[in-house]
Amino acid sequence: MIRGLYTAATGMNSQQSQIDVTSNNIANVNTLGFKKDRAEFQDLMYETLNYTAGQTSETTRNPTGIDVGMGVRVSGVQKSFLQGDLKSTGNPLDIAIEGNGFFRITMPDGEAAYTRSGAFKVNDEGAIVNANGYQLDPEIVIPDNVIKLTIAKDGLITATDKATETVVTLGQITMSDFINPAGLAPIGESLFKETEASGAALDGNPTENQLGNLRQGMIELSNVKLVNEMVDLITAQRAYEANSKAITTTDEMLDIVNRLKR
């Protein structure tokens, strides 16, 4: 019966992890470009009390064995990179990705990071940056003598010169994609970093090589569905309570056994 205590304890720990993951999803329901997490579980090793297909006589075998499980563990937390809803803002520097791909951002240490959040701004030098001031890569500078900024679906940025009223090209937004986006490492601030599991970044222009296209004046919202998260939260809570009840029941049974031994 001691086994039951430890088995139920693994269930409580696992459901606590499920609640932690779900809580993080709910907390980020309004985070631009956020991708929801999903906790995944595996059963633990089994104690074999009677082998399957064990010999029961010279001519017969067990059709089934007796294998008692030792509980459950969290095997991983996977990101879901399903497209979030797009919201129109009218801001010319809000850019949503429709389809596959990530914006490439240059971190302060010079390393590359990747994001789906396209709520961009300009810094004091006119360079396009994210909310933390990290520059879009490749660097694109918008001079103060242009108007009517336009970002095409293929990432080409143009504007109209106020003095000459001619259209000038300011730069080209490129994107990156990965063979296994779920292998990217989240580092916070809606940013991800490349890992060996994600594979190397595949760079290109929007609309090319299965990369998505850009939508100016729109942003991608979180792909968290609040109703689904609330259902997951209730399910995890009930499972946690059931495992807790298993521990209480096992403890009561042990108490009965101890009293019988006196």
Side-chain angles (χ1 to χ4, degrees):
M1 285 185 290
I2 295 295
R3 183 192 299 113
L5 289 173
Y6 291 114
T7 300
T10 66
M12 293 181 71
N13 286 331
S14 296
Q15 294 309 318
Q16 180 61 61
S17 297
Q18 173 69 62
I19 292 173
D20 293 341
V21 170
T22 304
S23 297
N24 184 60
N25 289 340
I26 294 174
N28 285 282
V29 69
N30 288 319
T31 300
L32 299 181
F34 178 79
K35 301 303 176 185
K36 65 171 291 185
D37 294 310
R38 183 187 70 198
E40 298 176 343
F41 302 93
Q42 288 181 346
D43 52 351
L44 295 177
M45 62 187 299
Y46 286 78
E47 180 180 359
T48 301
L49 305 180
N50 192 357
Y51 288 101
T52 303
Q55 200 82 31
T56 57
S57 70
E58 292 183 359
T59 58
T60 58
R61 294 179 179 275
N62 277 331
T64 61
I66 302 176
D67 300 297
V68 180
M70 308 296 287
V72 64
R73 72 180 182 91
V74 179
S75 62
V77 177
Q78 179 171 333
K79 282 280 183 188
S80 168
F81 282 92
L82 292 174
Q83 175 90 47
D85 294 335
L86 302 186
K87 177 182 177 181
S88 177
T89 65
N91 185 340
L93 285 176
D94 283 341
I95 314 169
I97 299 174
E98 188 175 37
N100 298 329
F102 297 82
F103 296 110
R104 189 169 59 252
I105 302 295
T106 301
M107 300 293 287
D109 59 4
E111 292 191 7
Y114 303 88
T115 185
R116 292 279 300 191
S117 177
F120 293 111
K121 285 84 175 167
V122 292
N123 63 14
D124 57 343
E125 297 177 350
I128 297 179
V129 298
N130 71 359
N132 296 307
Y134 307 152
Q135 288 193 10
L136 181 66
D137 183 19
E139 180 183 8
I140 297 174
V141 177
I142 300 175
D144 57 6
N145 64 332
V146 298
I147 57 175
K148 298 179 182 178
L149 182 71
T150 301
I151 302 174
K153 289 185 176 182
D154 62 1
L156 185 66
I157 300 182
T158 58
T160 301
D161 189 297
K162 288 189 292 187
T164 64
E165 296 186 352
T166 58
V167 176
V168 294
T169 299
L170 302 179
Q172 170 72 50
I173 297 177
T174 63
M175 291 165 54
S176 302
D177 200 10
F178 299 86
I179 294 176
N180 177 30
L184 292 170
I187 59 174
E189 301 177 344
S190 298
L191 297 172
F192 301 88
K193 280 198 172 182
E194 176 187 314
T195 69
E196 292 183 359
S198 68
L202 306 173
D203 301 329
N205 292 337
T207 73
E208 298 178 357
N209 301 322
Q210 299 183 345
L211 291 171
N213 59 71
L214 303 184
R215 301 291 298 272
Q216 184 183 16
M218 305 187 77
I219 52 176
E220 181 183 1
L221 303 178
S222 168
N223 67 351
V224 173
K225 302 301 182 185
L226 195 55
V227 172
N228 294 341
E229 298 304 318
M230 294 303 296
V231 171
D232 289 345
L233 192 63
I234 293 171
T235 303
Q237 181 183 6
R238 293 294 178 264
Y240 188 93
E241 292 173 354
N243 280 286
S244 175
K245 181 63 176 177
I247 289 178
T248 302
T249 302
T250 303
D251 180 58
E252 291 173 352
M253 294 171 67
L254 286 171
D255 181 61
I256 293 173
V257 172
N258 287 333
R259 282 190 277 110
L260 288 175
K261 291 180 178 180
R262 294 174 184 173

